[in-house]
mmCIF file of all heavy atoms in Angstrom:
data_model
loop_
_atom_site.group_PDB
_atom_site.id
_atom_site.type_symbol
_atom_site.label_atom_id
_atom_site.label_comp_id
_atom_site.label_asym_id
_atom_site.label_seq_id
_atom_site.Cartn_x
_atom_site.Cartn_y
_atom_site.Cartn_z
ATOM 1 N N THR A 711 28.760 -84.078 -48.100
ATOM 2 C CA THR A 711 30.062 -83.932 -48.754
ATOM 3 C C THR A 711 31.087 -83.399 -47.762
ATOM 4 O O THR A 711 30.846 -82.423 -47.048
ATOM 5 C CB THR A 711 29.957 -82.962 -49.950
ATOM 6 O OG1 THR A 711 28.998 -83.479 -50.880
ATOM 7 C CG2 THR A 711 31.300 -82.823 -50.637
ATOM 8 N N ILE A 716 39.740 -83.813 -57.188
ATOM 9 C CA ILE A 716 40.012 -83.276 -58.520
ATOM 10 C C ILE A 716 40.683 -84.348 -59.355
ATOM 11 O O ILE A 716 41.786 -84.810 -59.025
ATOM 12 C CB ILE A 716 40.891 -82.026 -58.437
ATOM 13 C CG1 ILE A 716 40.177 -80.918 -57.670
ATOM 14 C CG2 ILE A 716 41.257 -81.525 -59.841
ATOM 15 C CD1 ILE A 716 41.015 -79.672 -57.433
ATOM 16 N N LYS A 761 27.469 -88.038 -64.527
ATOM 17 C CA LYS A 761 26.249 -87.233 -64.383
ATOM 18 C C LYS A 761 25.024 -88.070 -64.748
ATOM 19 O O LYS A 761 24.010 -88.051 -64.031
ATOM 20 C CB LYS A 761 26.343 -86.004 -65.298
ATOM 21 C CG LYS A 761 25.232 -85.005 -65.089
ATOM 22 C CD LYS A 761 25.479 -83.758 -65.941
ATOM 23 C CE LYS A 761 24.371 -82.735 -65.751
ATOM 24 N NZ LYS A 761 24.597 -81.521 -66.599
ATOM 25 N N ASN A 795 31.915 -74.595 -66.346
ATOM 26 C CA ASN A 795 31.547 -73.526 -65.438
ATOM 27 C C ASN A 795 32.602 -73.399 -64.336
ATOM 28 O O ASN A 795 32.415 -73.905 -63.231
ATOM 29 C CB ASN A 795 30.172 -73.783 -64.825
ATOM 30 C CG ASN A 795 29.595 -72.572 -64.113
ATOM 31 O OD1 ASN A 795 30.324 -71.635 -63.745
ATOM 32 N ND2 ASN A 795 28.278 -72.554 -63.919
ATOM 33 N N PHE A 829 59.033 -76.539 -60.412
ATOM 34 C CA PHE A 829 57.801 -76.024 -60.989
ATOM 35 C C PHE A 829 58.112 -75.105 -62.170
ATOM 36 O O PHE A 829 58.983 -74.240 -62.091
ATOM 37 C CB PHE A 829 57.004 -75.264 -59.927
ATOM 38 C CG PHE A 829 55.687 -74.733 -60.424
ATOM 39 C CD1 PHE A 829 54.691 -75.607 -60.790
ATOM 40 C CD2 PHE A 829 55.449 -73.378 -60.533
ATOM 41 C CE1 PHE A 829 53.456 -75.139 -61.249
ATOM 42 C CE2 PHE A 829 54.247 -72.887 -60.982
ATOM 43 C CZ PHE A 829 53.239 -73.771 -61.339
ATOM 44 N N GLY A 851 45.624 -72.717 -60.461
ATOM 45 C CA GLY A 851 44.784 -71.539 -60.710
ATOM 46 C C GLY A 851 43.452 -71.653 -59.981
ATOM 47 O O GLY A 851 42.970 -70.684 -59.389
ATOM 48 N N LEU A 871 45.424 -83.184 -50.369
ATOM 49 C CA LEU A 871 45.936 -84.550 -50.287
ATOM 50 C C LEU A 871 46.212 -85.082 -51.686
ATOM 51 O O LEU A 871 45.281 -85.457 -52.421
ATOM 52 C CB LEU A 871 44.924 -85.444 -49.557
ATOM 53 C CG LEU A 871 45.238 -86.936 -49.471
ATOM 54 C CD1 LEU A 871 46.547 -87.162 -48.701
ATOM 55 C CD2 LEU A 871 44.096 -87.685 -48.812
ATOM 56 N N ASP A 881 54.657 -82.963 -50.547
ATOM 57 C CA ASP A 881 55.682 -81.918 -50.615
ATOM 58 C C ASP A 881 55.745 -81.305 -52.005
ATOM 59 O O ASP A 881 55.946 -80.090 -52.166
ATOM 60 C CB ASP A 881 57.058 -82.490 -50.261
ATOM 61 C CG ASP A 881 57.145 -82.967 -48.812
ATOM 62 O OD1 ASP A 881 56.349 -82.502 -47.990
ATOM 63 O OD2 ASP A 881 58.005 -83.828 -48.529
ATOM 64 N N VAL A 883 53.251 -81.099 -54.357
ATOM 65 C CA VAL A 883 52.135 -80.209 -54.664
ATOM 66 C C VAL A 883 52.209 -78.928 -53.849
ATOM 67 O O VAL A 883 51.889 -77.828 -54.348
ATOM 68 C CB VAL A 883 50.785 -80.930 -54.449
ATOM 69 C CG1 VAL A 883 50.489 -81.193 -52.989
ATOM 70 C CG2 VAL A 883 49.637 -80.147 -55.069
ATOM 71 N N PHE A 888 52.738 -73.252 -53.908
ATOM 72 C CA PHE A 888 53.269 -72.033 -53.303
ATOM 73 C C PHE A 888 54.099 -71.226 -54.285
ATOM 74 O O PHE A 888 54.090 -69.989 -54.266
ATOM 75 C CB PHE A 888 54.085 -72.375 -52.053
ATOM 76 C CG PHE A 888 53.249 -72.707 -50.847
ATOM 77 C CD1 PHE A 888 51.880 -72.923 -50.952
ATOM 78 C CD2 PHE A 888 53.811 -72.817 -49.596
ATOM 79 C CE1 PHE A 888 51.097 -73.236 -49.836
ATOM 80 C CE2 PHE A 888 53.063 -73.114 -48.456
ATOM 81 C CZ PHE A 888 51.685 -73.319 -48.593
ATOM 82 N N PRO A 896 50.917 -63.095 -54.391
ATOM 83 C CA PRO A 896 51.819 -63.245 -53.235
ATOM 84 C C PRO A 896 51.176 -62.882 -51.897
ATOM 85 O O PRO A 896 51.577 -63.403 -50.855
ATOM 86 C CB PRO A 896 52.981 -62.295 -53.575
ATOM 87 C CG PRO A 896 52.450 -61.382 -54.626
ATOM 88 C CD PRO A 896 51.437 -62.149 -55.405
ATOM 89 N N SER A 897 50.154 -62.017 -51.906
ATOM 90 C CA SER A 897 49.494 -61.640 -50.639
ATOM 91 C C SER A 897 48.768 -62.797 -49.979
ATOM 92 O O SER A 897 48.462 -62.749 -48.785
ATOM 93 C CB SER A 897 48.529 -60.480 -50.884
ATOM 94 O OG SER A 897 47.508 -60.880 -51.790
ATOM 95 N N ALA A 922 35.721 -102.979 -73.797
ATOM 96 C CA ALA A 922 34.323 -103.224 -74.170
ATOM 97 C C ALA A 922 33.863 -104.593 -73.663
ATOM 98 O O ALA A 922 32.692 -104.768 -73.278
ATOM 99 C CB ALA A 922 34.182 -103.159 -75.686
ATOM 100 N N ASN A 953 48.751 -85.648 -41.179
ATOM 101 C CA ASN A 953 48.963 -84.206 -41.180
ATOM 102 C C ASN A 953 47.748 -83.529 -41.793
ATOM 103 O O ASN A 953 47.798 -83.015 -42.910
ATOM 104 C CB ASN A 953 50.254 -83.880 -41.953
ATOM 105 C CG ASN A 953 50.525 -82.391 -42.023
ATOM 106 O OD1 ASN A 953 50.072 -81.628 -41.187
ATOM 107 N ND2 ASN A 953 51.253 -81.974 -43.046
ATOM 108 N N ALA A 985 59.224 -99.640 -60.283
ATOM 109 C CA ALA A 985 60.384 -99.975 -61.085
ATOM 110 C C ALA A 985 60.192 -101.309 -61.780
ATOM 111 O O ALA A 985 60.514 -101.460 -62.955
ATOM 112 C CB ALA A 985 61.634 -100.009 -60.207
ATOM 113 N N HIS A 1003 51.347 -109.534 -67.734
ATOM 114 C CA HIS A 1003 51.335 -110.914 -67.257
ATOM 115 C C HIS A 1003 52.096 -111.850 -68.192
ATOM 116 O O HIS A 1003 52.628 -112.864 -67.739
ATOM 117 C CB HIS A 1003 49.892 -111.416 -67.064
ATOM 118 C CG HIS A 1003 49.119 -111.589 -68.345
ATOM 119 N ND1 HIS A 1003 48.344 -110.600 -68.891
ATOM 120 C CD2 HIS A 1003 49.001 -112.653 -69.189
ATOM 121 C CE1 HIS A 1003 47.783 -111.037 -70.013
ATOM 122 N NE2 HIS A 1003 48.165 -112.275 -70.225
ATOM 123 N N GLU A 1009 59.898 -117.088 -67.364
ATOM 124 C CA GLU A 1009 60.876 -117.310 -66.285
ATOM 125 C C GLU A 1009 62.140 -116.489 -66.463
ATOM 126 O O GLU A 1009 62.723 -116.040 -65.474
ATOM 127 C CB GLU A 1009 61.232 -118.805 -66.201
ATOM 128 C CG GLU A 1009 60.078 -119.672 -65.687
ATOM 129 C CD GLU A 1009 60.475 -121.122 -65.528
ATOM 130 O OE1 GLU A 1009 61.669 -121.437 -65.765
ATOM 131 O OE2 GLU A 1009 59.603 -121.933 -65.160
ATOM 132 N N GLU A 1022 70.107 -105.492 -55.757
ATOM 133 C CA GLU A 1022 70.357 -104.059 -55.923
ATOM 134 C C GLU A 1022 69.335 -103.172 -55.216
ATOM 135 O O GLU A 1022 69.696 -102.149 -54.653
ATOM 136 C CB GLU A 1022 70.454 -103.704 -57.413
ATOM 137 C CG GLU A 1022 71.639 -104.425 -58.078
ATOM 138 C CD GLU A 1022 71.744 -104.200 -59.583
ATOM 139 O OE1 GLU A 1022 71.340 -103.119 -60.040
ATOM 140 O OE2 GLU A 1022 72.227 -105.110 -60.275
ATOM 141 N N THR A 1107 57.623 -102.649 -85.340
ATOM 142 C CA THR A 1107 57.698 -101.338 -84.687
ATOM 143 C C THR A 1107 56.637 -101.219 -83.604
ATOM 144 O O THR A 1107 55.610 -101.893 -83.631
ATOM 145 C CB THR A 1107 57.511 -100.216 -85.703
ATOM 146 O OG1 THR A 1107 56.231 -100.369 -86.334
ATOM 147 C CG2 THR A 1107 58.595 -100.269 -86.760
ATOM 148 N N LYS A 1140 71.892 -86.634 -65.185
ATOM 149 C CA LYS A 1140 72.536 -85.848 -64.123
ATOM 150 C C LYS A 1140 73.809 -86.492 -63.615
ATOM 151 O O LYS A 1140 74.785 -86.667 -64.324
ATOM 152 C CB LYS A 1140 71.513 -85.612 -62.997
ATOM 153 C CG LYS A 1140 70.295 -84.816 -63.444
ATOM 154 C CD LYS A 1140 69.321 -84.608 -62.321
ATOM 155 C CE LYS A 1140 68.098 -83.845 -62.805
ATOM 156 N NZ LYS A 1140 67.070 -83.703 -61.750
#
Side-chain angles (χ1 to χ4, degrees):
T711 301
I716 298 175
K761 188 175 180 181
N795 193 340
F829 182 66
L871 176 61
D881 294 338
V883 70
F888 283 12
S897 62
N953 179 24
H1003 69 269
E1009 291 184 2
E1022 297 176 30
T1107 59
K1140 298 180 182 176

